[in-house]
């Protein structure tokens, strides 16, 4: 099973309705962009991290996925220091930095981290079926939902198949030299293409045998429970409080 699926299914926040999560995440991203102070973005990042901690998400998974946004935020912060030349001069280790550049870099970096932390919280605590159910509720076309579910399912099967072929090639010294590596990689790509086509045909025939007539059967949409409405109220209050404090 893919790590993302495993993380979502064992999360304590998985039970929260996907529609509520989508609304709260959209609100959090709006607050992150609209807030004038870097404190709001930092508060959102801290809140998202605490929620993933509470949900039981493995922190190694969280921080590994946040590494690239952290790098981008660092680059954005440094570039602002050299880009803006207004405001009071502040000297660090013999290097003069303008105050406006410092605050601008801090605001930009904190927005990147705040937004990415919120999205990571959403991704790591929401199974894809729940997200697709929310998408259907928000009138997303059914064909897009079905394609997304099927593609998500078969992406991991394709990766597993590719890894099996690559392991077999390695056992036969398929990557011992650069030339043999190129030949093995091209063979791997061709075999994957043929097997993907073959599996797609077999899957479609299996779906037809199970009564598929151009649309996947889905359970009727249920209403939002009182607990989820309360969670929405608490989330909105927290976002509003964070915006006002910042």
């Amino acid at each position: 099973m893919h790590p993302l699926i495993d993380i979502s299914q064992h999360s304590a926040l998985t039970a929260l309705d996907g529609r509520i999560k989508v609304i709260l995440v959209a609100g959090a991203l709006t607050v992150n962009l609209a807030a004038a102070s870097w404190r709001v973005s930092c508060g959102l990042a801290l809140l998202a991290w605490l929620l993933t901690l509470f949900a039981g998400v493995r922190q190694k998974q969280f921080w590994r996925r946040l590494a690239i946004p952290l790098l981008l935020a660092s680059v954005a912060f440094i570039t602002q220091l050299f880009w803006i030349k207004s405001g009071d001069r502040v000297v660090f280790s013999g290097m003069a930095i303008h105050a406006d550049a410092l605050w601008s870099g801090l605001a930009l970096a904190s927005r990147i981290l705040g937004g990415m932390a919120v999205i990571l919280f959403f991704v790591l605590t929401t199974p894809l079926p729940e997200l697709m159910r929310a998408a259907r509720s928000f009138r997303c076309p059914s064909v897009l939902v079905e394609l997304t579910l099927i593609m998500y399912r078969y992406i991991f099967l394709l990766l597993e198949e590719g890894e099996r072929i690559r392991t077999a090639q390695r056992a036969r010294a398929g990557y011992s030299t650069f030339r043999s590596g190129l030949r093995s990689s091209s063979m791997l790509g061709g075999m994957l293409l043929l097997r993907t086509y073959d599996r797609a045909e077999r899957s479609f025939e299996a779906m037809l045998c199970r009564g598929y007539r151009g649309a996947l059967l889905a359970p009727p949409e249920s209403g939002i429970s009182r607990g989820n409405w309360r969670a929405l109220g608490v989330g909105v209050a927290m976002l509003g409080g964070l915006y006002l404090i910042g």
Side-chain angles (χ1 to χ4, degrees):
M1 182 174 290
H2 190 267
L4 276 182
I5 302 175
D6 183 59
I7 290 168
S8 298
Q9 288 186 347
H10 291 85
S11 166
L13 290 177
T14 301
L16 189 62
D17 196 293
R19 292 166 288 187
I20 300 296
K21 281 186 184 176
V22 170
I23 294 171
L24 288 177
V25 167
L29 293 178
T30 303
V31 167
N32 185 46
L33 291 175
S37 173
W38 59 270
R39 296 184 186 88
V40 176
S41 299
C42 289
L44 281 173
L46 179 63
L47 181 61
W49 173 65
L50 289 176
L51 287 175
T52 57
L53 201 64
F54 173 75
V57 174
R58 291 190 291 272
Q59 291 303 294
K60 184 179 178 182
Q61 300 283 349
F62 179 82
W63 289 108
R64 191 173 68 181
R65 286 168 175 78
L66 196 64
I68 293 179
L70 270 171
L71 178 63
L72 293 176
S74 302
V75 172
F77 178 75
I78 293 172
T79 53
Q80 290 297 303
L81 296 182
F82 296 99
W83 186 265
I84 299 177
K85 303 292 183 184
S86 61
D88 299 333
R89 289 165 60 91
V90 182
V91 178
F92 285 110
S93 302
M95 185 176 67
I97 298 173
H98 293 268
D100 289 352
L102 192 63
W103 292 118
S104 176
L106 191 59
L108 186 58
S110 61
R111 276 200 175 92
I112 294 173
L113 289 180
M116 288 308 302
V118 169
I119 292 173
L120 271 180
F121 158 74
F122 181 64
V123 169
L124 295 176
T125 61
T126 308
L128 187 72
E130 182 64 24
L131 176 61
M132 290 298 102
R133 193 164 71 92
R136 290 290 299 128
S137 299
F138 291 121
R139 300 296 180 260
C140 181
S142 60
V143 63
L144 291 181
V145 174
E146 292 173 9
L147 280 176
T148 303
L149 286 171
I150 293 173
M151 287 171 62
Y152 187 75
R153 165 67 178 142
Y154 282 95
I155 279 174
F156 301 119
L157 288 178
L158 185 65
L159 290 176
E160 291 172 3
E161 189 72 23
E163 187 58 33
R164 276 197 292 270
I165 297 173
R166 189 178 175 84
T167 301
Q169 288 176 329
R170 280 178 177 167
R172 295 176 175 84
Y175 295 92
S176 56
T177 63
F178 179 73
R179 188 172 181 178
S180 64
L182 288 178
R183 187 170 58 250
S184 298
S185 298
S186 63
M187 290 175 62
L188 189 151
M191 292 173 70
L192 269 183
L193 184 63
L194 292 176
R195 293 192 184 188
T196 301
Y197 181 78
D198 181 59
R199 175 160 288 189
E201 288 291 324
R202 285 188 281 121
S203 298
F204 185 64
E205 290 174 1
M207 291 169 68
L208 289 178
C209 292
R210 291 180 173 87
Y212 179 71
R213 295 295 180 270
L216 294 176
L217 298 177
E221 295 181 6
S222 58
I224 299 176
S225 65
R226 291 183 179 179
N228 283 307
W229 281 118
R230 284 195 291 270
L232 177 62
V234 171
V236 171
M238 291 175 70
L239 290 176
L242 193 60
Y243 181 79
L244 293 176
I245 291 173

